[in-house]
Amino acid sequence: MYDQPRPNQATPAVTFEQMLERVHYEGVYPTRERAEAAVRTVLAALGRQVTGDERVDLAQCLPVEAALALTAQIPDTEHLTGWGFVKDLAARTGATPATARWDTGAVLAVITRLAGPDLLARILRQLPDGYALLFGQAELRQPRLSAAAA
């Protein structure tokens, strides 16, 4: 069966320059170039984790330059937890885990606003535990029954 064509969505609500300014402000980066590096590395890492319709829909919410950073990556076959995502980003960039977590939070705070609550909920349902906090959301978990209670 073939995928149904999607109607063309409107141009993203912000330009890449505006997105960089928001990340620059959110992350309190010393330069715009540092903010851009964070955007590109975090979106590349996210592009390795998000798949399917959520990936396509997220790319449509982003300015073209950001969408290309997201979609240029081949999705990994193994999904990382939120903490695994941060550790992987730190290892790939040579940054400390604290810096990688800071960059992730600054970029994903802006992505959260661009994606909107419905798409964000769909993305979070697809990803393992720990991502909600990276996106600045509460990590809500379903209670699990213990073997004794079952």
Side-chain angles (χ1 to χ4, degrees):
M1 177 154 261
Y2 297 104
D3 287 337
Q4 296 296 316
R6 296 176 191 276
N8 288 339
Q9 291 188 341
T11 305
V14 299
T15 67
F16 190 60
E17 297 302 318
Q18 291 168 327
M19 181 182 176
L20 291 180
E21 283 305 313
R22 289 182 183 180
V23 172
H24 183 210
Y25 176 80
E26 216 36 71
V28 194
Y29 292 110
T31 65
R32 190 182 153 287
E33 290 74 23
R34 178 64 184 91
E36 182 173 353
V39 166
R40 292 188 186 280
T41 58
V42 171
L43 285 178
L46 189 61
R48 290 188 289 276
Q49 298 299 308
V50 177
T51 60
D53 289 343
E54 290 75 20
R55 179 183 171 103
V56 172
D57 293 346
L58 179 57
Q60 288 179 341
C61 295
L62 302 175
V64 172
E65 299 89 341
L68 290 173
L70 176 81
T71 59
Q73 302 301 309
I74 297 171
D76 287 340
T77 56
E78 180 182 334
H79 285 293
L80 300 171
T81 63
W83 176 236
F85 178 87
V86 171
K87 289 191 312 187
D88 182 64
L89 184 62
R92 288 175 186 265
T93 61
T96 65
T99 299
R101 174 62 181 95
W102 184 270
D103 290 349
T104 299
V107 174
L108 295 185
V110 173
I111 299 302
T112 296
R113 291 192 292 277
L114 294 176
D118 294 337
L119 176 55
L120 181 60
R122 288 177 31 222
I123 291 169
L124 291 176
R125 277 193 299 270
Q126 181 187 96
L127 295 170
D129 288 343
Y131 281 88
L133 292 173
L134 297 178
F135 280 94
Q137 307 295 305
E139 182 81 36
L140 302 176
R141 301 170 116 187
Q142 296 295 325
R144 296 182 186 171
L145 296 176
S146 67

